[in-house]
Amino acid sequence: ENSESNPQDDDEILKELCTVNGINHNRLNTGEGANVRCLEIFFFGFPKIVGMHHFPNLTSLCVMNQKIYKISGLESCRLLEELWICEGCIEKIEGLQNCTNLCRLHLYANKISHIEGLGTLKKLEKLWLNVNKISTIEGLYELSRLRDLNLAGNTIPTIGHHLDQFTELQILNLSGNKMSSLKDLVNLTSLPKLHTLSLGDPQYLLNPVCRLCNYSSYLLYHLPSLKSLDGKEVSSPELQRLVKNLVSKKKHYYRMKLHRMAQELHQQCQRIKEMHMEARDRICAGLRPLHLCIKTLQFDQTLTTEEETDQKIRLLKEKVQNLERHLESLNKSCQRCVTELRRRSGEEVSYWMSELESGGNIKFLSGDPSHSWYKSCVELLMSRFSASEIQDLGITGVQVVGVKRVENRFLYNQFNDKLEKILEQPFYSKAIQQRSYKQFLDYLFLVWSPGLDVGRVCQQGVELPRVALTNSPMSAEEPRLLQARKGGGGALDVLREAQWGQLVLCKVFMGASAETTADSPTQPPGVDCVYRDRGKCNLESQQRDWWVFDSELVLPEYILTFCYTSPLLPGDPLQQVLQLSQQSGPVMADSDTLFPLPSRPKFSQLSESVILQAANVSSLALVHVLCLHDNRLTKFKLTTPLSALTKLVLSFNELTSMEDISNMPNLEYIDVSFNKLSTLEGMKSLPKLTHLDVSWNSLTSYYGDTSILLKCSPSIEHFSGSYNPWEKMDLYRTVVLGRLKTLKELDGDRVEPGDAANALRQFVSSHLSVTTLLSHAHTDVAPPPSLSLLPTASFLDKESRHRPIQLNSPTSDWCSLVTSVYLCGMGIRQLSALQHLPNLKWASLADNALVSTEGLETCKKLEELVLDGNLLHTLDFLGHFPELHYLSIAHNHISHVSIKAISKLTYLNVMDNFINSLSFMKHLQAVTELYLSSNMLASTRELFHLKSLPQLSVLDISSNPIGQTQQATRLFVIYHLTSLKALDGEAIESDEIAAAKEKLGGRLNQDMVLEQLNNVPFSSLKKMDFPNCSLKHVDLSPVEAFTNLLSLNLESNSLTSFSGLIYLNQLKVLCLNHNRVEVMIRSRDLPCGQPSAEGVLRSLEVLHLAYNGINDLIPLQLNKLVSLKALFLQGNEIVLVEGLDGMKSLTELVLDRNKIKTLENSSLLSLRSLRELHIEENRLKELCNFSSFVNLERLYIGMNRIQDFGEVEKLCDLSQVMDLSLISNPVSRRLQHRSFLITTLPSLLSLDGVTITLEERQAAQASLQDQQEELEVVQPPSMAAAVPPQLKVMNIPLGQAQLPMMAQNWKPYDIKAVHEKRKIRR
């Protein structure tokens, strides 16, 4: 009806349109409509748009809430810029092809199901198609100017790459759709100008993705340019910083787990390799004598008859073939086990990556017997397993290796949403009322099918129209075992192929079910699933297969990893290799039985006579065949060239070089097998050589050796290089066939034309060329934000769509655009082609055959470099890359590292190399992640080089030959590298930090000395200072390293004894001030009790023990320090001076600031050599026993409590004293003592800190004489006879008049200045 045009109706519509817009309908024919720029129609129910030709200059048209089913009548609106046709019934976008100036188009609230008809709208900037029936983003590819796109309220499930071309898009609304994947939203990173995004607009229903955890953080990290998300402001720098920090921590955590997994895999593979090599050596030990017999019989025809020789050779070759088959079986078993281990590792890594990339919405939890769900899964599998169906394979049971619980928030929400909708049906109303709807839920095993990816199923669900399930694990495994049987081989081969497997246990809603007998049933009406009974197993449980027709009702919850048990084959891969390797052994006895070799003389040097005898000719010119098999030759050195020689046999000798096998123009055959060759260097000018056997040697470089053969023997046809330790063995056949194009036989196998062509093609592809670069390069200016842990080059190779387009342009044009190359696993040996890429930023060159990085020097902008799995021996090229911040060079042969300062390197992986020193790390100050596992670090001292890295947070040093237990090493590293957050793949806990501090805190050992003194050799140390280091223990053993140490300062620490110091027999000065020393050594610190007197600090001359809180000197056993000359004990709590007997060498003793009241004579008798005594600031009242110090020259007893002048008189016996101080004693307040002491001690030069002058001494003597005369005058005669002739002066006041000279020279002095002077002197 709407499609039919009725002129009368059209005119009525036009009249109404003019009326509501204030236009005179009657004047339209006069051209008045040309002045109209805007028209609006609201709520009139018009069925179509008519009369637009009257308005040729119309720029805006708004049609709202009309019953319009089709866009038409706009052909003449060529200037239209804005169009609103909303809340109508439009089902298809059409009729806009002439509106080429349209900038804004609103078609929301219609019934549009496909986006189409917009190809001509090149200027369109705004498009609203919300509230329609659109299920796919399409038809927008021509709208390059689009800035605002609204697709909310539709049924779009994914974004994909449909919006990648909209580089100008700024506003995007996708709310109210069916988007459920966070990973799908990452595609929005292709919109560089997007600043407003809505996925959860309140006006619409939420997308399922909005209900996932970390939804907002996920988007803010991947879209850092966003300013508004779901109507909320998100442009805060603090918020952006918080999100980045959160993601960075997560990536660090998972990267650490990846490296830990890689290390464990490496260790397992190394163990398999070691067992393989041990078994191979045993087999080779049996093969060697067999080959010796064979070659001896072939080259020496005189031993037996021809018939016997052929028979013996045949028997020997059969034995060789048996051993070689066994060796081949061993090789395959090892390869199979390595493949399985790598598969398991890769599977685990994929789970972790799913956790990270899903923003934590998918989790794979590993279970153990402590988890109830683990036990339930194991019991379910064991209860339903029946080995009777697979007895022919030798399987006797099944062993659960592991159980993982899958927590997928999206699948869980999807399952519950679907379940709620189903339960709303009347059929389930009664079950809901009785709360018995759970009877429709069950746990079933997902049936295996070709191409089944367990990880994908657990991440995205079962994406099948009909999901096959079963309650029997054997039914679930039946298709996999059937496929293994189709591969051929016996039961053991099938078992090896299918021994390890996985089962997915799903929660399933059965709903309405029906029985079926079909193998591929269809869904009957009103039925949710169908089932088929398969009978009972031996455990009397009903086996039943199910088919569910709605995959959303199947929720994967558990992954059960298992292996079949069999007496024929162990379940553990390592045990398989071990079992097979133990079956190998030498067969020397068998070879001797077959052919006992006769003894004969063996040559160790060549001479003309030896050659003539071996060739059985009379002249060297006649030697055509020379057999020197089974001798002891180390060189093939000839004085005369064998120009006629055609065949040369040197097998079973001890040759190490081929340099003398040269310049033989007729030589065609060389056999140098079973020697010690490590290279073919030296071979020259052998133009006719066609057969070369170098098997059973020590050759490693097939590339270098084939280069030599190409130069000296370009026509070689037969080459045998088996049983050599070739580097990169997987490339050996490809390189040899690719380089030696004339080969007809390699290692005893005929070279087929197809094999040669394939090898040549692979070899050519390993040569890096411009063409190869073009197919493996990308031009991304910057990598998009991603949660992937892959290196940038690897990530771009998988995700980027920006590739260089050559289009016949010069190489320089597109090469300058290349920023990333991914060239892994191509066998590349040279990088010269990379010099054409000046803007290269990210390069991944792993798993090649590189021996150097020559060619990378011009890539100055390189930021990330991956060189894992190559043949590099040195790390000395980093100075060329100032912008480098990521370097991975694991699995190489690096032993030498020479690095200049690189300020931006934050990530370094050198796992599995031969590094034995970390001194190079001082140049890498920005490193935050460092992986050093499986190297040759032999000492924890190397780790001190890492203390200079302030930002180091992740470190892996596992599997290094460090001479400590793993736990001790861990505590050592935790204690010394305080910035670490994770070590060896495990986070560092707070209790570990506390334990490390408790065990290692305050310990002075050789490691600390190396650290603090920058690795200075111990033998060059003469003085060490470690004050204020919180030291509690000292252990410098072995002390023999400190042969020249003379002075040690350990002030202000927490030491309590001399332990660890007593055997430093070269030490002369030891400072232990401000510690807590109580004893010399504790018995528990010595393995054999107390040391002898001769063994304690035998050379120590100066000891400082000030301020240690010492109250008893006896436990210190200072008398054992036989060489001590100066002892400082000031600032302690000493009351009695004792325990110093026997210190005959002591010349200076400092006891200031203690609590000494008197000096006991018994402790001072032996101090005959004492020259200087300090005992100020004590509690002395008496000066008894000072007469014992006959050699005392300096005495300081100031600031005590001496007040009786009679105590001063006791110092008269100190005949050699030169410096004496009594300041701040009560007796010295009136200076009576000064003239007395000056007079009675003629050796005195200084008193109380004041130098005694000659004038003062003369005045004191004159004054004292005057006093004596006065006393004689006033004394009565009767008394004079009774008074002894000696004068004793006590408490006689001496005034200024009596001591004019002394008063004249006396000056006030500062006590502090005196102490400072003494301190400087000491």
Side-chain angles (χ1 to χ4, degrees):
E1 180 181 356
N2 290 328
S3 62
E4 297 178 0
S5 178
N6 188 328
Q8 185 176 358
D9 293 340
D10 292 352
D11 190 58
E12 290 296 326
I13 293 172
L14 183 59
K15 287 181 180 180
E16 188 66 31
L17 175 64
C18 292
T19 300
V20 298
N21 285 277
I23 302 172
N24 191 334
H25 175 265
N26 298 325
R27 296 182 180 180
L28 289 180
N29 294 329
T30 63
E32 185 175 336
N35 298 324
V36 176
R37 297 290 186 269
C38 177
L39 291 176
E40 296 179 349
I41 307 175
F42 293 91
F43 313 118
F44 287 97
F46 291 156
K48 57 183 176 179
I49 302 173
V50 298
M52 292 297 106
H53 61 280
H54 295 290
F55 312 101
N57 296 320
L58 190 67
T59 59
S60 176
L61 174 63
C62 181
V63 182
M64 302 291 291
N65 198 14
Q66 307 296 320
K67 295 182 179 180
I68 296 177
Y69 290 84
K70 182 178 181 181
I71 302 175
S72 60
L74 300 177
E75 293 80 2
S76 60
C77 299
R78 297 181 179 275
L79 301 180
L80 194 64
E81 297 178 359
E82 184 173 5
L83 175 62
W84 297 65
I85 306 179
C86 308
E87 302 177 12
C89 303
I90 296 173
E91 298 179 354
K92 183 179 181 180
I93 303 175
E94 56 184 342
L96 300 176
Q97 59 272 12
N98 291 338
C99 303
T100 55
N101 288 313
L102 200 62
C103 297
R104 295 173 292 281
L105 176 60
H106 298 76
L107 297 174
Y108 61 82
N110 283 285
K111 299 179 180 180
I112 300 170
S113 58
H114 296 282
I115 304 175
E116 54 187 341
L118 302 176
T120 60
L121 308 183
K122 306 293 185 181
K123 297 182 180 181
L124 194 65
E125 296 179 357
K126 186 175 184 179
L127 176 61
W128 282 25
L129 294 172
N130 43 314
V131 195
N132 279 282
K133 298 181 179 181
I134 299 170
S135 59
T136 305
I137 300 176
E138 57 184 350
L140 300 174
Y141 304 107
E142 304 295 333
L143 310 182
S144 59
R145 295 187 180 183
L146 199 61
R147 296 186 178 183
D148 187 346
L149 177 61
N150 191 335
L151 294 173
N154 285 283
T155 58
I156 301 171
T158 60
I159 297 174
H161 294 284
H162 301 296
L163 298 178
D164 288 358
Q165 71 275 14
F166 299 122
T167 56
E168 300 296 324
L169 193 64
Q170 300 176 6
I171 302 173
L172 177 62
N173 194 336
L174 294 170
S175 305
N177 281 281
K178 295 184 177 182
M179 297 178 183
S180 58
S181 172
L182 283 174
K183 193 172 182 179
D184 180 54
L185 299 182
V186 176
N187 294 309
L188 296 178
T189 57
S190 62
L191 309 177
K193 296 184 179 181
L194 184 67
H195 60 72
T196 301
L197 174 64
S198 294
L199 292 164
D201 193 321
Q203 298 180 13
Y204 304 91
L205 294 175
L206 290 176
N207 276 288
V209 71
C210 298
R211 297 160 58 190
L212 300 180
C213 66
N214 297 319
Y215 151 75
S216 300
S217 300
Y218 191 93
L219 282 177
L220 292 179
Y221 174 75
H222 286 88
L223 303 172
S225 61
L226 277 185
K227 296 180 179 179
S228 175
L229 176 62
D230 297 336
K232 299 178 181 178
E233 180 70 24
V234 293
S235 60
S236 168
E238 291 78 10
L239 180 61
Q240 293 287 344
R241 194 160 44 248
L242 180 64
V243 170
K244 287 183 179 180
N245 290 338
L246 175 64
V247 173
S248 178
K249 290 180 180 179
K250 286 293 183 183
K251 294 180 76 171
H252 271 80
Y253 170 74
Y254 281 100
R255 187 182 289 118
M256 177 184 66
K257 293 184 68 173
L258 288 184
H259 279 280
R260 188 61 180 169
M261 174 63 71
Q263 175 61 17
E264 291 177 356
L265 175 62
H266 174 70
Q267 291 178 351
Q268 291 176 325
C269 292
Q270 282 296 109
R271 177 61 181 146
I272 290 177
K273 183 179 179 181
E274 290 172 2
M275 292 190 294
H276 173 259
M277 293 304 296
E278 292 175 3
R280 180 181 180 275
D281 290 343
R282 288 195 294 269
I283 296 175
C284 292
L287 285 172
R288 185 181 181 91
L290 294 174
H291 281 290
L292 176 61
C293 293
I294 292 173
K295 287 183 178 291
T296 302
L297 289 172
Q298 290 175 340
F299 298 138
D300 193 347
Q301 303 295 332
T302 63
L303 296 176
T304 60
T305 63
E306 182 177 352
E307 183 178 353
E308 291 177 348
T309 298
D310 293 342
Q311 183 179 2
K312 289 181 179 294
I313 290 176
R314 180 174 54 80
L315 293 174
L316 289 170
K317 286 187 175 181
E318 288 179 0
K319 188 67 175 177
V320 169
Q321 290 174 359
N322 290 335
L323 288 177
E324 287 181 343
R325 280 195 294 269
H326 187 68
L327 182 59
E328 182 64 23
S329 176
L330 177 67
N331 293 339
K332 289 182 178 179
S333 177
C334 291
Q335 185 60 42
R336 187 165 49 248
C337 292
V338 169
T339 302
E340 173 62 19
L341 290 174
R342 288 178 176 170
R343 184 197 66 78
R344 292 184 188 180
S345 175
E347 186 177 79
E348 191 72 18
V349 168
S350 69
Y351 293 157
W352 293 340
M353 291 302 94
S354 298
E355 292 180 4
L356 177 61
E357 294 175 3
S358 68
N361 288 282
I362 300 177
K363 294 182 179 179
F364 294 87
L365 307 179
S366 297
D368 56 61
S370 64
H371 297 97
S372 58
W373 51 268
Y374 177 92
K375 295 180 181 178
S376 300
C377 290
V378 174
E379 290 173 359
L380 179 64
L381 175 60
M382 302 304 292
S383 64
R384 296 183 180 180
F385 174 79
S386 174
S388 59
E389 303 176 24
I390 48 178
Q391 287 181 349
D392 60 317
L393 297 178
I395 297 175
T396 57
V398 65
Q399 178 183 359
V400 177
V401 177
V403 178
K404 286 190 178 295
R405 181 175 181 174
V406 183
E407 295 183 357
N408 189 322
R409 189 178 296 268
F410 161 66
L411 294 181
Y412 178 80
N413 293 340
Q414 176 181 270
F415 180 84
N416 287 339
D417 291 346
K418 190 73 174 182
L419 189 59
E420 288 178 4
K421 290 181 180 179
I422 291 178
L423 293 178
E424 292 174 357
Q425 300 176 9
F427 178 79
Y428 299 102
S429 58
K430 183 177 180 181
I432 294 176
Q433 292 175 1
Q434 298 177 356
R435 297 185 178 181
S436 60
Y437 66 91
K438 291 187 178 180
Q439 64 181 323
F440 299 108
L441 295 174
D442 199 0
Y443 280 93
L444 300 175
F445 296 104
L446 183 66
V447 176
W448 186 90
S449 60
L452 176 67
D453 187 339
V454 173
R456 183 181 178 88
V457 166
C458 295
Q459 294 173 44
Q460 302 180 12
V462 187
E463 299 174 334
L464 295 172
R466 181 179 64 241
V467 184
L469 301 146
T470 179
N471 63 356
S472 168
M474 298 316 303
S475 299
E477 276 283 279
E478 183 179 0
R480 191 172 74 91
L481 294 174
L482 182 61
Q483 186 181 43
R485 293 176 188 271
K486 290 180 180 179
L492 187 59
D493 295 326
V494 175
L495 181 59
R496 285 172 177 163
E497 179 69 23
Q499 184 175 23
W500 298 293
Q502 287 183 320
L503 290 171
V504 181
L505 188 60
C506 306
K507 180 193 284 189
V508 185
F509 180 78
M510 305 295 191
S513 60
E515 189 173 3
T516 184
T517 57
D519 293 332
S520 301
T522 57
Q523 183 177 12
V527 172
D528 296 313
C529 64
V530 297
Y531 64 89
R532 180 181 63 185
D533 290 334
R534 300 188 61 169
K536 295 183 178 180
C537 65
N538 59 348
L539 300 179
E540 299 183 358
S541 60
Q542 181 68 42
Q543 295 189 56
R544 179 172 287 181
D545 296 340
W546 295 83
W547 286 270
V548 178
F549 298 100
D550 190 344
S551 61
E552 294 184 0
L553 295 175
V554 178
L555 178 63
E557 282 201 352
Y558 301 98
I559 302 174
L560 285 74
T561 303
F562 66 92
C563 71
Y564 293 116
T565 58
S566 170
L568 303 176
L569 199 63
D572 187 0
L574 294 176
Q575 290 299 322
Q576 290 186 17
V577 177
L578 181 61
Q579 182 186 55
L580 193 60
S581 64
Q582 290 174 347
Q583 299 174 3
S584 308
V587 289
M588 288 293 295
D590 292 340
S591 63
D592 291 341
T593 301
L594 288 170
F595 183 68
L597 297 175
S599 60
R600 62 176 181 81
K602 297 185 178 182
F603 308 114
S604 59
Q605 292 183 351
L606 278 183
S607 64
E608 184 175 340
S609 60
V610 170
I611 295 175
L612 294 177
Q613 179 183 350
N616 195 22
V617 294
S618 58
S619 173
L620 294 179
L622 301 176
V623 177
H624 295 283
V625 177
L626 179 58
C627 179
L628 295 171
H629 162 75
D630 192 19
N631 282 284
R632 297 173 181 170
L633 298 175
T634 58
K635 292 182 179 181
F636 186 74
K637 192 168 184 65
L638 300 174
T639 56
T640 304
L642 303 176
S643 57
L645 188 66
T646 60
K647 183 175 182 179
L648 176 61
V649 178
L650 292 169
S651 55
F652 288 93
N653 278 278
E654 299 177 5
L655 297 177
T656 58
S657 173
M658 296 281 285
E659 59 181 287
D660 295 314
I661 303 179
S662 59
N663 299 317
M664 298 182 184
N666 295 308
L667 190 61
E668 300 175 359
Y669 181 103
I670 298 179
D671 183 357
V672 287
S673 58
F674 296 93
N675 279 277
K676 299 179 180 179
L677 298 173
S678 59
T679 179
L680 297 183
E681 289 184 6
M683 293 180 62
K684 299 177 183 178
S685 302
L686 303 174
K688 292 187 177 181
L689 184 65
T690 59
H691 184 111
L692 177 62
D693 188 350
V694 292
S695 58
W696 296 84
N697 277 280
S698 301
L699 301 173
T700 58
S701 177
Y702 44 74
Y703 198 96
D705 291 336
T706 51
S707 298
I708 295 170
L709 291 179
L710 285 175
K711 293 179 181 179
C712 73
S713 307
S715 302
I716 194 165
E717 298 178 355
H718 305 270
F719 179 77
S720 179
S722 56
Y723 297 98
N724 278 286
W726 299 112
E727 294 177 340
K728 294 283 184 180
M729 190 64 190
D730 52 333
L731 299 175
Y732 162 71
R733 187 173 180 83
T734 298
V735 172
V736 173
L737 290 178
R739 306 204 75 194
L740 305 180
K741 301 180 181 61
T742 58
L743 274 187
K744 296 180 180 179
E745 184 180 284
L746 176 60
D747 295 337
D749 297 328
R750 182 181 175 184
V751 178
E752 301 295 338
D755 296 338
N758 291 334
L760 182 60
R761 185 163 49 253
Q762 294 179 22
F763 179 73
V764 171
S765 66
S766 69
H767 284 69
L768 194 56
S769 62
V770 174
T771 304
T772 307
L773 283 178
L774 184 63
S775 58
H776 294 85
H778 297 82
T779 58
D780 300 73
V781 177
S786 170
L787 291 176
S788 174
L789 296 182
L790 292 173
T792 303
S794 303
F795 174 75
L796 293 178
D797 186 68
K798 293 179 61 177
E799 304 293 338
S800 175
R801 306 176 72 187
H802 300 89
R803 294 186 177 274
I805 302 176
Q806 191 173 9
L807 297 177
N808 299 322
S809 61
T811 302
S812 59
D813 291 350
W814 64 265
C815 282
S816 61
L817 302 176
V818 172
T819 57
S820 171
V821 292
Y822 180 81
L823 301 166
C824 296
M826 300 175 62
I828 297 171
R829 193 173 180 84
Q830 296 179 346
L831 299 174
S832 55
L834 294 183
Q835 63 186 352
H836 302 294
L837 308 179
N839 295 314
L840 184 65
K841 294 183 179 180
W842 312 289
S844 189
L845 306 167
D847 299 320
N848 286 292
L850 297 173
V851 294
S852 73
T853 57
E854 185 178 355
L856 275 175
E857 296 85 355
T858 59
C859 305
K860 302 295 184 181
K861 298 182 180 181
L862 202 62
E863 297 178 6
E864 291 189 15
L865 180 60
V866 179
L867 291 166
D868 298 345
N870 281 281
L871 303 175
L872 299 173
H873 288 77
T874 61
L875 182 58
D876 56 0
F877 52 84
L878 299 185
H880 302 292
F881 315 120
E883 302 297 320
L884 193 68
H885 65 79
Y886 182 104
L887 174 63
S888 183
I889 195 165
H891 308 296
N892 278 273
H893 301 158
I894 295 173
S895 59
H896 173 70
V897 181
S898 176
I899 297 180
K900 297 181 179 180
I902 304 178
S903 59
K904 297 185 179 181
L905 189 66
T906 59
Y907 175 97
L908 178 60
N909 180 11
V910 289
M911 165 188 170
D912 187 25
N913 281 283
F914 297 93
I915 295 173
N916 56 18
S917 174
L918 299 180
S919 58
F920 65 91
M921 290 303 302
K922 62 186 177 183
H923 302 294
L924 307 177
Q925 294 294 305
V927 169
T928 60
E929 294 182 68
L930 179 59
Y931 301 93
L932 293 162
S933 56
S934 298
N935 275 278
M936 301 301 293
L937 300 176
S939 172
T940 53
R941 294 176 182 173
E942 291 296 331
L943 302 177
F944 286 120
H945 295 292
L946 305 181
K947 296 200 73 171
S948 62
L949 309 181
Q951 302 178 53
L952 184 64
S953 59
V954 178
L955 175 65
D956 190 349
I957 56 170
S958 58
S959 300
N960 277 280
I962 296 176
Q964 294 187 18
T965 63
Q966 182 178 359
Q967 182 62 21
T969 302
R970 183 173 179 85
L971 292 179
F972 179 89
V973 176
I974 291 173
Y975 177 75
H976 287 284
L977 305 181
T978 56
S979 63
L980 279 186
K981 305 299 181 186
L983 175 62
D984 294 343
E986 298 179 4
I988 296 175
E989 305 293 342
S990 57
D991 56 344
E992 287 184 301
I993 298 175
K997 289 181 178 179
E998 177 67 24
K999 183 176 181 180
L1000 300 172
R1003 186 175 295 273
L1004 175 62
N1005 50 26
Q1006 292 190 3
D1007 293 332
M1008 182 177 179
V1009 174
L1010 284 173
E1011 174 195 2
Q1012 297 291 334
L1013 302 182
N1014 298 320
N1015 294 314
V1016 175
F1018 295 150
S1019 59
S1020 65
L1021 290 175
K1022 294 185 178 181
K1023 180 180 179 181
M1024 293 197 306
D1025 293 287
F1026 294 100
N1028 298 296
C1029 293
S1030 302
L1031 298 177
K1032 298 179 181 179
H1033 307 281
V1034 177
D1035 182 12
L1036 295 174
S1037 57
V1039 295
E1040 292 78 9
F1042 299 90
T1043 55
N1044 296 312
L1045 184 62
L1046 302 178
S1047 175
L1048 178 59
N1049 179 12
L1050 299 176
E1051 270 191 335
S1052 303
N1053 286 289
S1054 301
L1055 300 174
T1056 58
S1057 72
F1058 286 61
S1059 300
L1061 299 170
I1062 59 174
Y1063 293 121
L1064 293 172
N1065 290 323
Q1066 305 299 322
L1067 194 66
K1068 292 186 179 296
V1069 180
L1070 176 60
C1071 182
L1072 296 174
N1073 295 338
H1074 297 282
N1075 280 276
R1076 294 180 295 175
V1077 177
E1078 300 171 349
V1079 297
M1080 173 172 284
I1081 189 166
R1082 302 182 188 279
S1083 58
R1084 65 172 180 266
D1085 296 331
L1086 282 177
C1088 301
Q1090 295 293 334
S1092 62
E1094 292 76 19
V1096 176
L1097 295 167
R1098 289 179 299 197
S1099 302
L1100 189 66
E1101 298 179 356
V1102 180
L1103 175 60
H1104 294 264
L1105 286 172
Y1107 302 100
N1108 275 271
I1110 299 170
N1111 54 27
D1112 189 357
L1113 292 176
I1114 294 179
L1116 291 174
Q1117 304 179 54
L1118 297 176
N1119 54 359
K1120 292 188 176 183
L1121 306 176
V1122 295
S1123 300
L1124 195 65
K1125 295 181 180 180
L1127 176 60
F1128 297 84
L1129 292 166
Q1130 68 270 23
N1132 286 288
E1133 304 292 327
I1134 301 171
V1135 177
L1136 292 177
V1137 181
E1138 51 188 348
L1140 303 181
D1141 50 300
M1143 302 186 70
K1144 298 179 181 180
S1145 301
L1146 193 65
T1147 59
E1148 183 177 358
L1149 177 61
V1150 180
L1151 294 167
D1152 298 339
R1153 291 180 290 283
N1154 279 280
K1155 298 179 180 179
I1156 301 170
K1157 296 181 178 180
T1158 183
L1159 294 179
E1160 296 293 339
N1161 189 41
S1162 58
S1163 62
L1164 306 175
L1165 289 177
S1166 61
L1167 303 181
R1168 298 288 182 177
S1169 300
L1170 197 63
R1171 297 286 188 273
E1172 186 171 340
L1173 175 61
H1174 298 255
I1175 194 168
E1176 294 183 335
E1177 295 186 57
N1178 280 277
R1179 300 177 183 180
L1180 290 176
K1181 295 182 179 180
E1182 300 177 351
L1183 297 179
C1184 300
N1185 301 318
F1186 277 81
S1187 59
S1188 301
F1189 306 127
V1190 294
N1191 295 312
L1192 197 65
E1193 297 177 354
R1194 294 179 178 85
L1195 176 61
Y1196 306 96
I1197 52 177
M1199 287 173 279
N1200 278 280
R1201 300 178 181 179
I1202 303 169
Q1203 55 184 348
D1204 190 352
F1205 197 84
E1207 297 301 322
V1208 178
E1209 295 178 352
K1210 296 178 181 179
L1211 302 178
C1212 295
D1213 294 333
L1214 303 178
S1215 59
Q1216 299 186 31
V1217 68
M1218 295 183 292
D1219 192 357
L1220 176 62
S1221 176
L1222 286 166
I1223 59 174
S1224 297
N1225 277 284
V1227 74
S1228 64
R1229 290 174 183 171
R1230 296 185 180 180
L1231 304 179
Q1232 298 99 328
H1233 69 293
R1234 187 169 181 86
S1235 62
F1236 172 75
L1237 291 174
I1238 292 174
T1239 304
T1240 56
L1241 297 176
S1243 61
L1244 196 62
L1245 301 178
S1246 176
L1247 179 60
D1248 295 339
V1250 178
T1251 302
I1252 300 172
T1253 63
L1254 179 60
E1255 293 81 358
E1256 184 181 5
R1257 187 178 298 278
Q1258 292 173 350
Q1261 292 174 351
S1263 176
L1264 184 60
Q1265 186 175 1
D1266 291 343
Q1267 292 180 30
Q1268 291 175 350
E1269 292 175 354
E1270 290 177 3
L1271 288 175
E1272 291 176 356
V1273 171
V1274 298
Q1275 188 175 14
S1278 59
M1279 296 293 296
V1283 177
Q1286 295 182 353
L1287 176 64
K1288 183 176 182 181
V1289 181
M1290 294 181 62
N1291 297 329
I1292 298 177
L1294 301 176
Q1296 294 290 335
Q1298 295 172 304
L1299 296 174
M1301 292 299 296
M1302 183 174 68
Q1304 181 181 355
N1305 294 288
W1306 181 262
K1307 296 180 181 179
Y1309 58 90
D1310 188 353
I1311 294 177
K1312 293 184 178 179
V1314 173
H1315 280 292
E1316 186 65 25
K1317 180 179 179 181
R1318 293 175 185 170
K1319 182 177 179 182
I1320 294 173
R1321 181 177 59 80
R1322 288 200 295 269

